[in-house]
């Protein structure tokens, strides 16, 4: 009953933040995992190794895309059933989705090993960079199943009002990642492969904790005998397809960035892109964390048809995102040089490229938050089609348009402006969808 009472509380800023703050912190720490790898790799190994982390990102996005789909889409389906009072069905569906994730993780791990060598061998990379790519990805793939479980358990802990525990696990995993990065790279000399192992072990903390927590009957959601309902898998997939599309398309866009920078600048350009992506990813994690935090509330209120609470939650959320957007954009622009200097020394050619790029890319932070929230909101409201349209248009269609046109017109500056331009177009589409469906959901 503890979780139900939490959902029955008034929709106030304090109660919203009680859901959102832990998930924002978790999202920040999860983005910090990758940034820590880049920090140690760039300073202890070199910019070629830093480029390799970005070059492997598309494969990693492919590996996690299915899990992201089932986690976000499944959470919406399950919490809607909780709001409808169908608790037994929700727990059966929860167990089924976790089993599907385990099987999908094993399959994707095997597929990853099949394509790794061929993929980087076909790219126009120096032997050193190609070797770094293979070393990093081959170690990372060992942790595919724990990483997929971590993605799921993070959201389901939030839905079960265990956001504090999820935050604790994320922080513990982040600290473990930092410590092991130093031990494996600086002490043991495992190189870039050590960074991948450190990241995998950090992710495994939440996976292990989730297996323990959801084995206990006290939890609102817990493991039980699963019931095979194909409709549940279909609903989870359709609801979460936007998040899966975002993950897949992010990998494609990353490849486009890499190829464009290799063409204009070379491997130093890829390293600069990596640094800027870290900055954008860290800021974007604020919005992602907030959207994940309020998603169970949106799903629950929609399930019980409480339009008054739904309307207030959306209204307050938009104001919160506006404040975060203005703050992060101002900070990113003002702190560009200190942020870049964490990864590259001022005498490194990568430094100048990254400084110039970040000052232009910072404009995207004014729009990203609203686009992420809009897509997440429609997922939580079980409208996966609209969410998918928003996510696919933002992450692929608009990015493809800007990446094909702006670099051709403006050169390297066009590469940096592609993201802000795409996010601005996505904001217009998000606003249109928001007002179009306002009558249906009464938010």
């Amino acid at each position: 009953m503890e979780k139900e009472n939490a959902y029955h509380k008034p929709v106030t800023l304090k109660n919203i933040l009680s859901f959102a703050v832990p998930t924002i912190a978790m999202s920040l720490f999860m983005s910090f995992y990758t940034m820590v790898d880049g920090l140690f790799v760039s300073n202890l190994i070199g910019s070629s190794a830093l480029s390799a982390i970005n070059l492997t990102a598309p494969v990693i996005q492919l590996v996690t895309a299915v899990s992201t789909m089932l986690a976000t889409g499944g959470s919406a389906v399950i919490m809607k059933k909780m709001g409808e009072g169908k608790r037994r069905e929700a727990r059966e569906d929860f167990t089924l989705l976790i089993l599907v994730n385990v099987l999908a993780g094993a399959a994707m791990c095997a597929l990853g090993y099949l394509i790794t060598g061929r993929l980087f061998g076909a790219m126009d990379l120096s032997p050193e960079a190609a070797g770094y790519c293979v070393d990093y990805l081959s170690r990372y793939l060992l942790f595919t199943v724990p990483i997929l479980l971590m993605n799921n358990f993070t959201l389901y802990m939030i839905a079960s009002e265990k956001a504090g525990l999820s935050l604790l696990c994320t922080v513990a995993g982040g600290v473990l990642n930092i410590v092991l990065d130093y031990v494996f790279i600086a002490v043991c000399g495992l190189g870039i492969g050590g960074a991948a192992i450190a990241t995998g072990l950090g992710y495994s903390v939440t996976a292990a904790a989730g297996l323990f927590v959801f084995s206990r009957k006290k939890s609102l959601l817990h493991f039980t005998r699963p019931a095979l309902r194909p409709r549940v898998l279909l609903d989870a997939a359709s609801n979460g397809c936007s998040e899966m599309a975002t993950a897949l398309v992010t990998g494609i866009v990353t490849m486009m960035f890499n190829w464009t920078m290799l063409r204009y600048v070379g491997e130093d350009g890829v390293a600069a892109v990596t640094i800027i992506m870290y900055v954008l990813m860290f800021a974007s994690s604020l919005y992602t964390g907030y959207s994940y935090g309020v998603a169970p509330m949106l799903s629950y209120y929609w399930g019980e048809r409480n339009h008054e609470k739904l309307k207030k939650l959306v209204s307050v959320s938009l104001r919160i995102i506006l404040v975060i957007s203005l703050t992060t954009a101002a900070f990113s622009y003002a702190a560009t040089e200190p942020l870049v200097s964490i990864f590259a020394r001022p005498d490194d050619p990568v430094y100048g490229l990254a400084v110039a790029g970040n000052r232009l890319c910072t404009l995207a932070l004014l729009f990203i938050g609203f686009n992420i929230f809009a897509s997440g909101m429609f997922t939580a409201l079980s409208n996966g089609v609209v969410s998918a349209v928003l996510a696919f248009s933002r992450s692929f269609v608009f990015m493809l348009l800007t990446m094909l046109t702006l670099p051709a017109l403006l050169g390297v500056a066009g590469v940096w402006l592609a993201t802000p331009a795409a996010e601005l177009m996505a904001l217009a589409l998000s606003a249109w969808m928001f007002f179009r469906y306002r009558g249906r959901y009464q938010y």
Side-chain angles (χ1 to χ4, degrees):
M1 292 297 292
E2 183 181 2
K3 185 62 180 177
E4 185 178 13
N5 290 336
Y7 285 117
H8 285 175
K9 291 179 180 179
V11 179
T12 63
L13 179 61
K14 179 181 178 181
N15 290 334
I16 292 173
L17 293 180
S18 71
F19 275 79
V21 168
T23 58
I24 290 173
M26 282 186 292
S27 188
L28 287 171
F29 270 94
M30 290 172 70
S31 67
F32 194 55
Y33 282 10
T34 305
M35 292 181 66
V36 166
D37 282 351
L39 176 64
F40 279 96
V41 166
S42 62
N43 285 281
L44 297 179
I45 304 176
S47 58
S48 292
L50 180 63
S51 300
I53 292 180
N54 196 28
L55 291 166
T56 60
V59 180
I60 292 172
Q61 292 291 345
L62 175 64
V63 167
T64 59
V66 172
S67 173
T68 302
M69 173 189 69
L70 293 176
T72 55
S75 177
V77 171
I78 289 169
M79 291 315 298
K80 183 174 181 289
K81 286 191 175 184
M82 282 289 183
E84 295 168 343
K86 302 175 182 178
R87 296 192 170 194
R88 182 178 61 82
E89 282 190 26
R91 289 164 182 155
E92 292 171 348
D93 296 343
F94 162 69
T95 307
L96 174 66
L97 289 171
I98 294 300
L99 290 175
V100 170
N101 269 273
V102 172
L103 295 175
M108 287 188 288
C109 177
L111 177 64
Y113 275 105
L114 287 176
I115 68 171
T116 295
R118 300 174 185 175
L119 176 64
F120 299 112
M123 297 177 69
D124 187 19
L125 300 174
S126 66
E128 181 184 36
Y132 283 141
C133 290
V134 172
D135 287 346
Y136 186 83
L137 190 58
S138 62
R139 271 66 168 189
Y140 190 96
L141 288 172
L142 294 172
F143 298 92
T144 303
V145 172
I147 289 171
L148 300 190
L149 289 177
M150 180 276 302
N151 285 337
N152 280 265
F153 289 152
T154 295
L155 292 185
Y156 287 121
M157 283 182 186
I158 296 164
S160 297
E161 206 180 25
K162 291 180 171 61
L165 175 62
S166 189
L167 173 60
L168 178 63
C169 292
T170 304
V171 172
V175 172
L176 180 64
N177 185 25
I178 294 171
V179 173
L180 293 182
D181 263 327
Y182 177 78
V183 171
F184 290 158
I185 299 175
V187 179
C188 299
L190 296 180
I192 195 171
I197 295 172
T199 298
L201 290 174
Y203 284 143
S204 299
V205 172
T206 301
L211 290 173
F212 174 77
V213 167
F214 293 116
S215 296
R216 305 177 67 193
K217 302 299 182 184
K218 290 182 179 180
S219 177
L220 180 68
L221 289 176
H222 56 257
F223 297 132
T224 187
R225 182 184 294 275
L228 181 58
R229 299 185 183 93
R231 181 68 188 179
V232 171
L233 294 175
L234 180 62
D235 287 345
S238 62
N239 281 333
C241 64
S242 63
E243 281 72 20
M244 180 175 123
T246 299
L248 289 174
V249 170
T250 297
I252 296 172
V253 170
T254 300
M255 284 193 292
M256 291 173 60
F257 269 105
N258 292 339
W259 289 336
T260 304
M261 293 307 289
L262 284 171
R263 175 186 173 189
Y264 282 97
V265 184
E267 291 179 10
D268 284 343
V270 176
V273 167
T274 307
I275 294 171
I276 292 172
M277 283 187 172
Y278 284 157
V279 176
L280 288 177
M281 176 181 63
F282 193 74
S284 297
S285 64
L286 292 167
Y287 315 122
T288 304
Y290 181 84
S291 297
Y292 281 168
V294 300
M297 301 174 72
L298 290 166
S299 298
Y300 196 95
Y301 297 149
W302 174 238
E304 67 175 5
R305 297 300 188 267
N306 194 326
H307 300 295
E308 182 181 351
K309 284 189 173 182
L310 189 62
K311 183 176 182 179
K312 187 170 183 181
L313 177 57
V314 172
S315 176
V316 174
S317 295
L318 292 175
R319 283 177 283 182
I320 290 174
I321 290 171
L322 176 61
V323 172
I324 296 175
S325 298
L326 295 174
T327 303
T328 54
F331 176 79
S332 178
Y333 187 86
T336 289
E337 292 186 2
L339 289 172
V340 172
S341 66
I342 296 174
F343 300 94
R345 294 184 300 273
D347 59 346
D348 191 328
V350 173
Y351 178 86
L353 287 168
V355 167
N358 189 71
R359 284 176 174 156
L360 294 175
C361 277
T362 288
L363 292 170
L365 296 177
L366 297 172
F367 319 122
I368 289 176
F370 295 101
N371 294 327
I372 290 175
F373 177 74
S375 179
M377 181 185 75
F378 283 109
T379 296
L381 296 175
S382 296
N383 194 332
V385 174
V386 171
S387 182
V389 169
L390 292 176
F392 186 74
S393 298
R394 168 189 172 237
S395 301
F396 184 70
V397 176
F398 298 143
M399 281 300 306
L400 181 63
L401 288 173
T402 56
M403 282 295 295
L404 289 176
T405 56
L406 293 182
L409 295 172
L410 304 173
V412 175
V415 179
W416 305 132
L417 287 171
T419 299
E423 292 291 347
L424 180 59
M425 288 189 284
L427 179 63
L429 179 61
S430 296
W432 183 70
M433 289 293 191
F434 182 88
F435 287 106
R436 179 181 178 184
Y437 287 91
R438 198 170 190 174
R440 176 189 294 188
Y441 299 109
Q442 299 181 40
Y443 48 66

